[in-house]
Amino acid sequence: MQPLIVVNFKTYATAMGQKAVDLAQAMERASKDHVRMIAVVSAFDLHAVKQAAPSLEVWSQHLDPVGKGSFTGWLQPINAIERGAQGTIINHAEHKVDIEHVQQLMQQLPDEFPMCACAADVDEAHQLAELGPTFIAVEPPELIGGDISVTTADPAIVSETVNAVRAINPHVRVLCGAGVKDGKDVKTAVELGAHGVLLASGVTKASDVDAVLADLVAGLGN
Ligand code: G3P
């Protein structure tokens, strides 16, 4: 199974609207067969990004477990899928939800629709693993947006999450994130047992996006 490089566009000015399209196309260009590259974009940009970068996997940054009807302002999953979402993250450190939200969303999503539940620590990862999401991304909140990668600052949280999740449900794959910047960080993440990385600012704030993406991919070999 290919390792993942998941880039969260958040609401960075460099990754919204036309810039989201440009960044997604850069990711499409950087894609290689041995890597699964995923762009996690604003709901507003799902359709345009999917149209402009059709071969790139595109996820939503959040979804709500609501049906069609009286749900003003919520992110309705089927609508998101119809607009191009091929997966979603949930419970990101910047958009926390309760465990029932994750559980109900999972029940509502089609089988095979990947969900990556984010966890701040091993305990939260443990709790989420019991629900059996496709992926769990462990991201220490204090390292998010910083210059030191979780793989350097706290490698133990990565390996301990991998072990904890594996003990509960070996089908759930673990990603790690926070401060991941380059191919060396990606390589270390995989050596620690992660199935890939979730990152944002290393790409969205890069002065040479193509070079950063190429380096991230190179971290996973050829
Ligand atoms: O979702 C990824 C994110 O929270 C990590 O952000 O900027 O530390 O790569 P960053």
Side-chain angles (χ1 to χ4, degrees):
M1 238 174 288
Q2 301 150 294
L4 277 67
I5 294 178
V6 184
V7 181
N8 183 359
F9 288 24
K10 302 195 177 186
T11 59
Y12 279 108
T14 50
M16 285 200 291
Q18 182 56 43
K19 298 276 177 57
V21 166
D22 297 343
L23 180 52
Q25 288 178 326
M27 288 179 67
E28 199 178 39
R29 285 195 300 275
S31 292
K32 298 267 190 252
D33 286 346
H34 67 286
V35 183
R36 183 170 164 190
M37 295 271 268
I38 299 167
V40 187
V41 309
S42 160
F44 297 115
D45 294 324
L46 278 171
H47 183 67
V49 165
K50 195 62 214 164
Q51 293 285 307
S55 72
L56 181 69
E57 189 170 338
V58 178
W59 287 4
S60 182
Q61 296 180 1
H62 172 88
L63 289 175
D64 294 302
V66 297
K68 293 181 176 172
S70 307
F71 300 103
T72 305
W74 297 77
L75 294 183
Q76 206 281 323
I78 301 305
N79 196 11
I81 292 168
E82 286 168 359
R83 300 302 286 173
Q86 296 165 285
T88 193
I89 59 175
I90 194 71
N91 195 44
H92 190 276
E94 295 151 9
H95 199 155
K96 296 297 281 183
V97 296
D98 56 36
I99 194 97
E100 289 76 24
H101 184 119
V102 181
Q103 193 165 26
Q104 288 164 16
L105 183 59
M106 276 186 67
Q107 285 162 3
Q108 202 174 322
L109 290 170
D111 294 345
E112 313 304 321
F113 186 87
M115 173 200 271
C116 176
C118 300
D121 52 33
V122 181
D123 284 349
E124 195 178 16
H126 191 282
Q127 228 188 334
L128 289 164
E130 287 178 346
L131 302 181
T134 327
F135 302 100
I136 289 178
V138 64
E139 297 196 311
E142 67 280 8
L143 297 175
I144 291 177
D147 289 327
I148 304 173
S149 170
V150 62
T151 52
T152 304
D154 194 357
I157 199 175
V158 181
S159 48
E160 284 170 18
T161 301
V162 168
N163 290 337
V165 169
R166 192 175 289 153
I168 293 167
N169 185 339
H171 299 295
V172 179
R173 283 163 278 158
V174 171
L175 309 178
C176 66
V180 171
K181 292 281 183 289
D182 56 28
K184 178 179 65 62
D185 300 335
V186 176
K187 187 169 182 283
T188 309
V190 171
E191 285 167 359
L192 290 166
H195 201 79
V197 294
L198 173 60
L199 78 161
S201 54
V203 172
T204 61
K205 291 184 170 177
S207 49
D208 186 343
V209 168
D210 291 308
V212 169
L213 290 170
D215 185 44
L216 290 166
V217 170
L220 295 167
N222 297 310

XYZ file of all heavy atoms in Angstrom, residues 122-209:
623
model
N -1.595 9.986 22.226
C -1.819 8.543 22.124
C -3.199 8.171 22.680
O -3.908 7.329 22.110
C -0.708 7.756 22.861
C -0.930 6.254 22.737
C 0.662 8.126 22.324
N -3.601 8.814 23.764
C -4.904 8.483 24.364
C -6.051 8.761 23.403
O -6.973 7.951 23.262
C -5.129 9.302 25.644
C -4.319 8.752 26.798
O -3.765 7.635 26.639
O -4.222 9.427 27.836
N -5.982 9.909 22.765
C -7.070 10.231 21.829
C -7.026 9.291 20.623
O -8.061 8.873 20.109
C -6.991 11.699 21.391
C -8.283 12.147 20.722
C -8.298 13.607 20.297
O -7.217 14.235 20.236
O -9.389 14.127 20.025
N -5.816 8.956 20.179
C -5.683 8.013 19.068
C -6.292 6.657 19.444
O -6.982 6.011 18.643
C -4.211 7.847 18.702
N -6.065 6.257 20.670
C -6.583 5.000 21.197
C -8.115 4.996 21.129
O -8.744 4.061 20.622
C -6.095 4.890 22.647
C -6.309 3.572 23.275
N -7.539 3.173 23.744
C -5.459 2.555 23.536
C -7.429 1.971 24.264
N -6.176 1.567 24.146
N -8.693 6.100 21.584
C -10.153 6.235 21.593
C -10.723 6.189 20.170
O -11.713 5.504 19.898
C -10.465 7.609 22.181
C -11.511 7.633 23.253
C -11.842 9.097 23.584
O -11.023 9.996 23.402
N -13.038 9.301 24.059
N -10.067 6.906 19.274
C -10.551 6.965 17.891
C -10.373 5.625 17.182
O -11.199 5.238 16.353
C -9.812 8.077 17.126
C -10.185 9.502 17.550
C -9.148 10.507 17.051
C -11.586 9.882 17.038
N -9.292 4.914 17.516
C -9.022 3.629 16.858
C -10.161 2.645 17.099
O -10.458 1.799 16.255
C -7.705 3.050 17.349
N -10.816 2.779 18.228
C -11.919 1.859 18.530
C -13.085 2.032 17.562
O -13.880 1.117 17.372
C -12.356 2.027 19.987
C -11.298 1.409 20.889
C -11.565 1.528 22.358
O -12.438 2.325 22.741
O -10.860 0.829 23.117
N -13.166 3.194 16.933
C -14.223 3.420 15.939
C -13.842 2.846 14.570
O -14.695 2.686 13.703
C -14.509 4.916 15.788
C -14.935 5.678 17.041
C -15.189 7.143 16.687
C -16.183 5.065 17.647
N -12.549 2.611 14.361
C -12.083 2.018 13.097
C -12.102 2.945 11.893
O -12.530 2.537 10.811
N -11.609 4.190 12.032
C -11.501 5.034 10.835
C -10.420 4.484 9.905
O -9.624 3.636 10.312
C -11.084 6.396 11.400
C -10.338 6.061 12.649
C -10.986 4.827 13.215
N -10.372 4.970 8.681
C -9.350 4.483 7.739
C -7.954 4.846 8.230
O -7.032 4.029 8.185
C -9.555 5.127 6.339
O -10.931 5.345 6.112
C -8.951 4.280 5.249
N -7.818 6.098 8.679
C -6.526 6.605 9.145
C -6.710 7.354 10.459
O -7.771 7.934 10.706
C -5.915 7.599 8.145
C -5.701 7.053 6.767
C -6.604 7.335 5.752
C -4.594 6.271 6.468
C -6.412 6.834 4.467
C -4.392 5.767 5.197
C -5.301 6.047 4.182
N -5.650 7.357 11.246
C -5.565 8.266 12.388
C -4.285 9.071 12.199
O -3.218 8.492 11.933
C -5.527 7.505 13.724
C -6.913 6.892 13.988
C -5.100 8.424 14.871
C -7.011 6.084 15.248
N -4.407 10.394 12.294
C -3.216 11.252 12.191
C -2.920 11.818 13.558
O -3.748 12.531 14.128
C -3.452 12.377 11.199
N -1.760 11.500 14.078
C -1.381 12.042 15.387
C -0.578 13.329 15.164
O 0.398 13.358 14.414
C -0.624 10.992 16.249
C 0.712 10.574 15.632
C -0.437 11.520 17.663
N -1.066 14.392 15.803
C -0.441 15.709 15.631
C -0.427 16.429 16.977
O -1.477 16.908 17.420
C -1.254 16.576 14.658
C -1.356 16.051 13.258
C -1.834 17.148 12.295
O -2.827 17.833 12.572
O -1.167 17.315 11.273
N 0.715 16.512 17.643
C 0.764 17.292 18.887
C 0.452 18.760 18.581
O 1.176 19.391 17.789
C 2.208 17.125 19.368
C 2.773 15.978 18.588
C 2.019 15.918 17.306
N -0.605 19.324 19.169
C -1.037 20.675 18.800
C 0.055 21.728 18.946
O 0.148 22.644 18.130
C -2.199 20.964 19.771
C -2.654 19.628 20.230
C -1.483 18.707 20.161
N 0.913 21.563 19.965
C 1.934 22.593 20.204
C 3.009 22.625 19.108
O 3.761 23.594 19.011
C 2.572 22.403 21.593
C 3.412 21.140 21.782
C 2.604 19.858 22.060
O 1.359 19.889 21.960
O 3.241 18.827 22.365
N 3.074 21.582 18.296
C 4.084 21.558 17.228
C 3.508 21.982 15.872
O 4.254 22.165 14.896
C 4.685 20.154 17.104
C 5.448 19.620 18.326
C 5.876 18.169 18.097
C 6.678 20.491 18.628
N 2.183 22.130 15.810
C 1.543 22.473 14.532
C 1.950 23.885 14.109
O 1.902 24.823 14.902
C 0.002 22.360 14.644
C -0.404 20.880 14.786
C -0.677 22.987 13.433
C -1.895 20.644 14.976
N 2.366 24.003 12.881
C 2.764 25.309 12.338
C 4.167 25.726 12.734
O 4.625 26.802 12.350
N 4.852 24.876 13.479
C 6.201 25.216 13.952
C 7.279 24.735 13.001
O 7.013 24.179 11.942
N 8.520 24.947 13.441
C 9.656 24.605 12.580
C 10.256 23.244 12.885
O 11.093 22.747 12.136
C 10.752 25.667 12.733
C 10.324 26.967 12.079
O 9.598 26.883 11.058
O 10.680 28.037 12.599
N 9.857 22.652 14.017
C 10.449 21.353 14.366
C 9.414 20.256 14.114
O 8.299 20.296 14.641
C 10.897 21.324 15.836
C 11.874 22.482 16.090
C 11.572 19.992 16.177
C 12.246 22.649 17.539
N 9.817 19.298 13.323
C 8.912 18.208 12.977
C 8.633 17.309 14.182
O 9.519 17.052 15.003
C 9.542 17.366 11.873
O 8.805 16.185 11.675
N 7.399 16.817 14.256
C 7.049 15.840 15.296
C 8.015 14.661 15.286
O 8.318 14.082 16.332
C 5.585 15.362 15.117
C 5.384 14.655 13.775
C 5.150 14.452 16.256
N 8.537 14.330 14.121
C 9.432 13.173 14.004
C 10.777 13.419 14.694
O 11.483 12.482 15.035
C 9.674 12.842 12.516
O 10.090 14.043 11.844
C 8.428 12.305 11.858
N 11.112 14.704 14.894
C 12.328 15.076 15.617
C 12.012 15.415 17.062
O 12.698 14.971 17.991
C 12.979 16.326 14.961
O 13.204 16.036 13.595
C 14.279 16.708 15.645
N 10.956 16.225 17.256
C 10.637 16.729 18.602
C 10.058 15.642 19.507
O 10.295 15.649 20.716
C 9.644 17.881 18.498
N 9.287 14.733 18.917
C 8.609 13.732 19.744
C 8.393 12.427 18.964
O 7.256 12.013 18.725
C 7.259 14.306 20.211
C 6.647 13.488 21.336
O 7.236 12.446 21.721
O 5.582 13.872 21.818
N 9.507 11.781 18.555
C 9.346 10.544 17.770
C 8.544 9.480 18.517
O 7.836 8.666 17.897
C 10.784 10.086 17.506
C 11.655 10.891 18.415
C 10.926 12.133 18.761
N 8.629 9.514 19.865
C 7.939 8.479 20.646
C 6.425 8.543 20.452
O 5.747 7.509 20.441
C 8.288 8.616 22.127
N 5.888 9.749 20.269
C 4.431 9.832 20.126
C 3.992 9.138 18.825
O 2.901 8.578 18.745
C 3.919 11.303 20.185
C 2.421 11.313 20.504
C 4.163 12.050 18.903
C 1.831 12.686 20.715
N 4.881 9.157 17.845
C 4.544 8.499 16.574
C 4.572 6.979 16.763
O 3.583 6.281 16.484
C 5.500 8.932 15.449
C 5.122 8.248 14.144
C 5.513 10.451 15.299
N 5.680 6.462 17.275
C 5.781 5.004 17.415
C 4.788 4.461 18.433
O 4.194 3.391 18.240
C 7.209 4.583 17.738
O 7.716 5.374 18.770
N 4.546 5.225 19.502
C 3.574 4.746 20.509
C 2.147 4.758 19.945
O 1.349 3.869 20.241
C 3.652 5.612 21.773
C 4.881 5.282 22.604
C 5.129 6.267 23.744
O 4.193 7.009 24.117
O 6.263 6.307 24.245
N 1.851 5.751 19.114
C 0.521 5.764 18.492
C 0.384 4.594 17.527
O -0.650 3.913 17.504
C 0.277 7.110 17.753
O 0.380 8.166 18.702
C -1.088 7.148 17.107
N 1.427 4.353 16.750
C 1.393 3.210 15.817
C 1.113 1.922 16.595
O 0.230 1.129 16.229
C 2.726 3.105 15.033
C 2.829 1.784 14.279
C 2.876 4.280 14.074
N 1.822 1.715 17.683
C 1.647 0.481 18.459
C 0.272 0.411 19.102
O -0.385 -0.643 19.081
C 2.732 0.376 19.540
C 4.091 0.122 18.915
O 4.177 -0.386 17.800
N 5.145 0.506 19.609
N -0.192 1.539 19.668
C -1.496 1.542 20.341
C -2.619 1.263 19.351
O -3.533 0.476 19.623
C -1.718 2.893 21.026
N -2.538 1.893 18.196
C -3.605 1.728 17.195
C -3.573 0.302 16.636
O -4.609 -0.345 16.487
C -3.467 2.792 16.079
C -4.378 2.479 14.905
C -3.760 4.181 16.645
N -2.375 -0.179 16.373
C -2.242 -1.540 15.832
C -2.837 -2.568 16.799
O -3.493 -3.522 16.376
C -0.764 -1.840 15.561
C -0.528 -3.077 14.739
C 0.945 -3.242 14.398
N 1.424 -2.274 13.428
C 2.691 -1.852 13.342
N 3.602 -2.311 14.175
N 3.052 -0.981 12.411
N -2.646 -2.355 18.079
C -3.159 -3.312 19.078
C -4.691 -3.315 19.102
O -5.311 -4.333 19.409
C -2.617 -2.947 20.464
N -5.287 -2.194 18.770
C -6.759 -2.118 18.796
C -7.359 -2.560 17.472
O -8.336 -3.317 17.433
C -7.210 -0.677 19.119
C -6.801 -0.345 20.544
C -8.712 -0.504 18.955
C -6.908 1.095 20.885
N -6.791 -2.050 16.383
C -7.334 -2.383 15.066
C -6.217 -2.280 14.031
O -5.861 -1.188 13.590
C -8.491 -1.423 14.719
C -9.155 -1.805 13.415
O -8.565 -2.497 12.587
N -10.385 -1.339 13.230
N -5.660 -3.411 13.617
C -4.517 -3.393 12.690
C -4.865 -2.852 11.309
O -3.958 -2.586 10.502
C -4.090 -4.862 12.624
C -5.229 -5.653 13.152
C -6.042 -4.771 14.037
N -6.161 -2.675 11.021
C -6.533 -2.130 9.704
C -6.428 -0.611 9.648
O -6.435 -0.022 8.578
C -7.962 -2.542 9.344
C -8.132 -4.029 9.257
N -7.498 -4.788 8.302
C -8.840 -4.887 10.023
C -7.800 -6.067 8.481
N -8.618 -6.155 9.529
N -6.390 0.008 10.821
C -6.311 1.474 10.864
C -4.854 1.891 10.668
O -3.975 1.447 11.399
C -6.830 2.023 12.215
C -6.707 3.552 12.246
C -8.264 1.589 12.458
N -4.623 2.725 9.659
C -3.253 3.166 9.402
C -2.991 4.523 10.053
O -3.894 5.357 10.121
C -3.004 3.224 7.890
C -2.791 1.826 7.295
C -2.936 1.798 5.813
N -4.337 1.706 5.423
C -4.812 2.066 4.235
N -4.006 2.564 3.327
N -6.096 1.945 3.959
N -1.765 4.692 10.504
C -1.426 5.898 11.279
C -0.562 6.848 10.439
O 0.404 6.429 9.800
C -0.685 5.503 12.578
C -0.138 6.734 13.295
C -1.618 4.717 13.488
N -0.954 8.108 10.449
C -0.142 9.176 9.862
C 0.375 10.035 11.007
O -0.167 9.976 12.114
C -0.983 10.051 8.930
C -1.819 9.341 7.860
C -2.622 10.375 7.072
C -0.946 8.517 6.937
N 1.394 10.840 10.734
C 1.810 11.798 11.753
C 1.984 13.159 11.107
O 2.190 13.269 9.896
C 3.082 11.341 12.461
S 4.540 11.301 11.409
N 1.850 14.185 11.919
C 1.970 15.535 11.397
C 2.339 16.508 12.484
O 2.359 16.170 13.671
N 2.619 17.727 12.060
C 3.013 18.882 12.867
C 4.487 19.169 12.611
O 5.356 18.372 13.004
C 2.749 18.710 14.362
N 4.729 20.245 11.925
C 6.098 20.681 11.649
C 6.834 19.897 10.579
O 8.018 20.147 10.341
N 6.167 18.967 9.924
C 6.840 18.181 8.871
C 7.176 19.112 7.705
O 6.327 19.875 7.238
C 5.915 17.032 8.388
C 6.500 16.343 7.160
C 5.679 16.033 9.522
N 8.414 19.062 7.277
C 8.857 20.043 6.282
C 9.521 19.436 5.043
O 9.491 20.036 3.979
C 9.889 21.003 6.910
C 9.346 21.934 7.971
C 8.614 23.117 7.365
C 8.126 24.115 8.397
N 7.017 23.625 9.216
N 10.176 18.285 5.221
C 10.995 17.817 4.095
C 11.027 16.289 4.006
O 10.439 15.578 4.825
C 12.421 18.384 4.197
C 13.088 18.045 5.529
O 12.743 17.002 6.119
O 13.959 18.817 5.973
N 11.755 15.851 2.992
C 11.829 14.422 2.725
C 12.428 13.624 3.875
O 12.040 12.476 4.120
N 13.340 14.251 4.608
C 13.948 13.558 5.747
C 12.875 13.287 6.815
O 12.834 12.205 7.400
C 15.078 14.434 6.311
C 15.773 13.883 7.526
C 16.902 14.807 7.998
C 16.410 16.172 8.493
N 15.526 16.175 9.664
N 12.021 14.259 7.055
C 10.939 14.069 8.037
C 9.987 12.951 7.583
O 9.522 12.148 8.397
C 10.138 15.371 8.220
C 10.991 16.530 8.722
O 12.021 16.276 9.368
O 10.610 17.694 8.472
N 9.711 12.917 6.299
C 8.806 11.883 5.766
C 9.441 10.504 5.945
O 8.792 9.552 6.399
C 8.500 12.139 4.265
C 7.651 11.014 3.691
C 7.794 13.478 4.085
N 10.720 10.426 5.633
C 11.450 9.158 5.758
C 11.429 8.694 7.214
O 11.170 7.514 7.509
C 12.888 9.374 5.275
C 13.732 8.137 5.176
C 15.027 8.484 4.415
C 15.911 7.268 4.229
N 16.640 6.895 5.418
N 11.693 9.633 8.125
C 11.702 9.260 9.547
C 10.312 8.805 9.991
O 10.180 7.849 10.763
C 12.164 10.457 10.412
O 13.386 10.962 9.888
C 12.364 10.059 11.859
N 9.281 9.493 9.507
C 7.916 9.109 9.873
C 7.654 7.646 9.506
O 7.118 6.870 10.309
C 6.909 10.024 9.170
N 8.074 7.284 8.323
C 7.854 5.901 7.862
C 8.702 4.926 8.681
O 8.237 3.842 9.067
C 8.127 5.794 6.337
C 8.126 4.342 5.884
C 7.087 6.611 5.572
N 9.920 5.322 8.993
C 10.782 4.460 9.831
C 10.177 4.249 11.227
O 10.385 3.209 11.857
C 12.178 5.079 9.950
C 12.995 4.919 8.676
C 14.256 5.790 8.639
O 14.513 6.557 9.591
O 14.966 5.719 7.615
N 9.427 5.252 11.686
C 8.790 5.137 13.011
C 7.499 4.297 12.954
O 6.853 4.095 13.975
C 8.486 6.529 13.572
C 9.701 7.360 13.982
C 9.313 8.824 14.193
C 10.332 6.791 15.261
N 7.137 3.881 11.759
C 5.976 3.006 11.620
C 4.740 3.686 11.062
O 3.693 3.050 10.890
N 4.851 5.000 10.782
C 3.685 5.701 10.223
C 3.502 5.316 8.758
O 4.448 4.890 8.087
C 3.869 7.207 10.358
N 2.288 5.511 8.304
C 1.983 5.177 6.916
C 2.113 6.396 6.007
O 1.824 6.329 4.816
C 0.571 4.593 6.850
C 0.351 3.774 5.628
N 0.801 2.488 5.506
C -0.224 4.082 4.455
C 0.492 2.035 4.308
N -0.129 2.984 3.642
N 2.510 7.520 6.601
C 2.685 8.732 5.824
C 2.570 9.939 6.719
O 2.605 9.826 7.950
N 2.448 11.098 6.085
C 2.434 12.353 6.858
C 1.245 13.227 6.453
O 0.726 13.143 5.343
C 3.735 13.157 6.644
C 4.935 12.408 7.213
C 3.949 13.511 5.174
N 0.862 14.078 7.413
C -0.125 15.132 7.188
C 0.618 16.435 7.473
O 1.179 16.589 8.571
C -1.294 14.925 8.165
C -2.389 15.988 8.232
C -3.087 16.173 6.890
C -3.431 15.588 9.296
N 0.656 17.317 6.499
C 1.385 18.574 6.718
C 0.676 19.737 6.041
O -0.236 19.529 5.238
C 2.828 18.475 6.224
C 3.104 18.600 4.719
C 4.561 18.950 4.488
C 2.755 17.326 3.965
N 1.078 20.940 6.418
C 0.464 22.132 5.835
C 1.523 23.181 5.514
O 1.923 23.346 4.364
C -0.594 22.695 6.781
N 2.005 23.899 6.567
C 2.825 25.086 6.321
C 4.116 24.805 5.554
O 4.590 25.678 4.820
C 3.135 25.791 7.640
O 3.715 24.899 8.574
N 4.659 23.608 5.698
C 5.880 23.268 4.949
C 5.664 23.421 3.455
O 6.596 23.736 2.706
N 4.423 23.211 3.013
C 4.094 23.364 1.598
C 3.455 24.722 1.332
O 3.875 25.455 0.436
C 3.136 22.230 1.131
C 2.635 22.483 -0.288
C 3.834 20.879 1.226
N 2.463 25.089 2.149
C 1.696 26.305 1.829
C 2.524 27.578 1.999
O 2.212 28.605 1.413
C 0.436 26.417 2.709
O 0.833 26.481 4.083
C -0.499 25.242 2.500
N 3.577 27.513 2.833
C 4.420 28.705 3.029
C 5.743 28.607 2.268
O 6.618 29.453 2.460
C 4.718 28.898 4.522
C 3.493 29.301 5.340
C 3.927 29.562 6.773
C 2.831 30.198 7.586
N 3.245 30.387 8.991
N 5.892 27.583 1.458
C 7.172 27.383 0.771
C 7.375 28.427 -0.318
O 6.428 28.805 -1.017
C 7.211 25.982 0.154
N 8.611 28.885 -0.464
C 8.868 29.835 -1.558
C 9.006 29.075 -2.882
O 8.711 29.617 -3.936
C 10.104 30.681 -1.271
O 11.161 29.841 -0.893
N 9.444 27.827 -2.822
C 9.524 27.009 -4.037
C 8.730 25.713 -3.795
O 9.275 24.707 -3.346
C 10.995 26.711 -4.366
C 11.149 25.989 -5.699
O 10.149 25.434 -6.209
O 12.273 25.975 -6.229
N 7.444 25.797 -4.086
C 6.546 24.674 -3.792
C 6.949 23.408 -4.545
O 6.946 22.309 -3.985
C 5.085 25.071 -4.125
C 4.163 23.868 -4.116
C 4.597 26.126 -3.149
